[in-house]
Each structure stands twice: as C-alpha cells, then as structure tokens.
C-alpha cells in the first residue's frame, strides 16, 4: 500500500449544490478522475461517499471506496451521453 496516495485533508463535509450535493475535503469540492465535479443527486449517497473519505486513515485506498468509485463512473461515463446510455439499456432490456 505504499503506492497509495497519502491522506492530505482533515475535514470531509457534504454541502448542497445546484444539482444535488457536493462532497468537500477541507472545503474544496472533490473532482472525478475525468475532472468533473463530484455532485450526486441524493443526500444518502453523498453521506455514503463522505463516510468513505472520512474512513481513510494515513493513505487513500480506492478499493475501500465503492460509493465513490461508482459515482465517478456514473458521472464521467454518462453525463452528456444520457440518451446514448438509455438506448443501450433499452436494447439490453429487450432481450429479457
């Protein structure tokens, strides 16, 4: 785990944003690997993401942060591509 990044923040918080809830580290919003703001639509999900960041000790271990990882994927791979993703899901659903 020595390759894992060190925890660099002291405070984790959730605050309301125009499009839902933002998770902050020392008052700064978290960004996804794609550079997008990590905003989620539900408070419960925001609280779950915040709890994962709070649970990190000396190092940040992404494998222990499933809510954060799912949110990253949802934001980076679907925003701006909603119609395309819906069509893929509909085609898949037709096979059931």
């Amino acid at each position: 785990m020595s390759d894992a990044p060190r925890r660099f923040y002291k405070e984790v918080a959730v605050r309301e944003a125009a499009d839902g809830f933002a998770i902050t580290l020392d008052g700064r919003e978290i960004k996804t690997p794609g550079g997008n703001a990590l905003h989620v639509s539900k408070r419960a999900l925001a609280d779950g993401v915040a709890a994962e960041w709070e649970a990190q000790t000396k190092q940040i271990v992404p494998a222990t942060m499933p809510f954060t990882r799912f949110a990253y994927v949802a934001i980076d791979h679907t925003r701006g591509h909603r119609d395309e993703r819906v069509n893929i899901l509909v085609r898949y659903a037709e096979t059931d």
Side-chain angles (χ1 to χ4, degrees), residues 69-83:
R69 291 172 33 219
F70 289 140
Y72 283 168
V73 169
I75 292 166
D76 284 346
H77 296 282
T78 61
R79 285 198 177 159
H81 304 282
R82 183 181 187 281
D83 291 341

Side-chain angles (χ1 to χ4, degrees), residues 42-59:
K42 302 292 181 194
R43 178 65 192 229
L45 178 55
D47 289 341
V49 171
E52 290 176 343
W53 284 90
E54 187 64 44
Q56 302 304 300
T57 55
K58 292 182 184 220
Q59 295 181 304

